[in-house]
Amino acid sequence: MIRVAIAGGSGYVGGELLRLLLWHPEVEVVAVTSERRAGQYVAATHPNLRGWTDLRFVPLAELTPCDVLFTALPHGYAAEQIEHLCTLAPRLIDCSADFRLDDADAYREWYGREHPAPQWLGRFAYGLPEANREAIREARYVSGVGCNATAVNLALLPLVRAGLLDPARPIIADVKVGSSEGGDRASESSHHPERSHVVRSFAPTGHRHTAEVRQVLGVDAELSVTSVELVRGALATVHAWLREPLEDRQLWKAYRAAYGAEPFVRIVHEKGGNYRHPEPKILAGTNLTDVGWSVDPRTGRVVALCAIDNLMKGAAGTAVQALNLTHGWPEQTGLRLIGLHPV
């Protein structure tokens, strides 16, 4: 049994980490921090945990050493405090954006600031197991993943690995996302009368998760992100072009080669029914990913699809999957969750 703590446990990702780790058979959660809610019971902030834990939030300054530290702090905080945080545990899994990119120049370009600890960037393994499993296994420090980047990366990965895409043609990813992606702090744009029923293009160009897709897959993809009427969920609809005409069986072969042995990826490519394509609604609360595709034989355009729960496969679930990898446990440990239907 290993002792884990969560720094920054009052937000949505921190709450999901708690929900998973409290039931993880190899883990004891020993501390959860929050500056603004120090002294309060965790379940007062995360009411789904009522009756399941008596933990109270403590300030970060009172955190004592443990075996693994999860950080779910606001972007920028972990990087500014990394020299201290790494003294608290021999392994650290960071769920923020601070250590996702391995290049300080790219960080400056996409985040608009100098990285507070550039010497640490190369020490973190990018935390998407389907793309970086072996590096995660050996890592002491694992970065989080961007939820939008994860949906795009998992949509495209089979096509890129198989060399099926025309490198001279553009790759355009349209990602539709739920409101929980904005975090638990209310803003003018997330105020219910303003956010409800929207189909709001809030980042038609220049979304910072573009950098992760380019880093992981080595392709010049462009992202466009739209808020829709969901709380949880992200759906990536990625438009690309094939090198040459392909039959459906050849695409099946590429997707099975990439994902046939993956414990959390399901290939969804049916001929009929309401759920013949990936749909984030039925993945809520799970670490599952559904991927699929459609091809236009007239033009050679392939539409790669990926659905995830942004708080799970796009954040906390993947972090726990990385924990399992770093300790040699089965990847599904603590993550064997089935989605709800209807929901």
Side-chain angles (χ1 to χ4, degrees):
M1 184 77 70
I2 66 166
R3 301 168 74 252
V4 306
I6 301 170
S10 62
Y12 292 144
V13 174
E16 285 295 88
L17 285 170
L18 272 168
R19 181 173 71 91
L20 298 172
L21 294 172
L22 286 171
W23 287 103
H24 195 293
E26 306 291 345
V27 161
E28 177 189 5
V29 181
V30 294
V32 187
T33 81
S34 173
E35 303 308 302
R36 57 189 168 130
R37 293 176 177 159
Q40 298 178 18
Y41 284 107
V42 163
T45 297
H46 304 298
N48 56 320
L49 302 180
R50 285 174 179 156
W52 303 114
T53 179
D54 292 325
L55 283 167
R56 293 176 185 257
F57 291 113
V58 298
L60 185 61
E62 294 182 10
L63 205 57
T64 56
C66 57
D67 299 310
V68 179
L69 177 63
F70 286 85
T71 51
L73 299 163
H75 297 317
Y77 281 59
E80 292 169 356
Q81 302 181 52
I82 185 61
E83 297 292 345
H84 170 63
L85 294 172
C86 72
T87 68
L88 296 173
R91 295 185 186 273
L92 190 150
I93 300 175
D94 177 47
C95 293
S96 78
D98 290 6
F99 300 102
R100 295 173 189 168
L101 303 185
D102 55 20
D103 181 80
D105 291 336
Y107 183 90
R108 183 189 312 110
E109 176 185 356
W110 290 97
Y111 287 85
R113 58 176 292 196
E114 296 292 335
H115 195 280
Q119 70 276 17
W120 278 84
L121 291 177
R123 301 179 68 176
F124 277 76
Y126 185 72
L128 185 62
E130 291 78 7
N132 205 31
R133 179 171 278 107
E134 295 311 312
I136 295 169
R137 285 189 203 278
E138 303 300 322
R140 288 181 60 191
Y141 307 110
V142 181
S143 79
V145 295
C147 50
N148 302 319
T150 295
V152 176
N153 279 328
L154 295 178
L156 281 173
L157 187 146
L159 303 174
V160 172
R161 279 189 179 170
L164 301 180
L165 299 181
D166 182 349
R169 303 294 296 274
I171 298 173
I172 308 296
D174 173 55
V175 189
K176 296 180 176 64
V177 301
S179 59
S180 60
E181 184 173 299
D184 72 326
R185 295 288 189 101
S187 68
E188 182 178 338
S189 63
S190 66
H191 182 50
H192 183 267
E194 300 296 333
R195 179 63 171 78
S196 184
H197 301 299
V198 303
V199 182
R200 177 183 297 152
S201 184
F202 77 88
T205 61
H207 195 285
R208 63 193 187 187
H209 289 184
T210 304
E212 289 176 59
V213 177
R214 295 182 175 188
Q215 175 177 281
V216 171
L217 297 181
V219 297
D220 291 331
E222 299 289 346
L223 272 64
S224 183
V225 184
T226 304
S227 298
V228 296
E229 184 72 1
L230 284 173
V231 173
R232 289 174 179 258
L235 175 69
T237 305
V238 188
H239 304 263
W241 276 261
L242 298 169
R243 286 181 181 270
E244 58 188 29
L246 295 176
E247 296 180 2
D248 216 37
R249 62 182 178 82
Q250 294 168 293
L251 289 165
W252 268 108
K253 182 178 179 180
Y255 276 79
R256 284 174 174 149
Y259 293 141
E262 287 294 341
F264 292 109
V265 183
R266 307 186 300 192
I267 300 171
V268 179
H269 184 64
E270 307 293 341
K271 293 182 179 179
N274 288 338
Y275 296 96
R276 63 188 180 276
H277 300 304
E279 163 60 66
K281 176 181 176 180
I282 61 173
L283 302 179
T286 80
N287 196 48
L288 295 170
T289 298
D290 284 353
V291 297
W293 69 89
S294 183
V295 174
D296 184 347
R298 300 176 302 106
T299 63
R301 178 171 62 103
V302 59
V303 178
L305 303 163
C306 175
I308 62 171
D309 178 333
N310 57 294
L311 294 177
M312 283 291 292
K313 189 61 182 169
T318 291
V320 173
Q321 190 178 351
L323 170 76
N324 293 336
L325 280 168
T326 60
H327 286 78
W329 303 324
E331 286 183 52
Q332 291 176 295
T333 305
L335 292 169
R336 292 182 174 89
L337 302 166
I338 298 173
L340 302 176
H341 182 261
V343 63

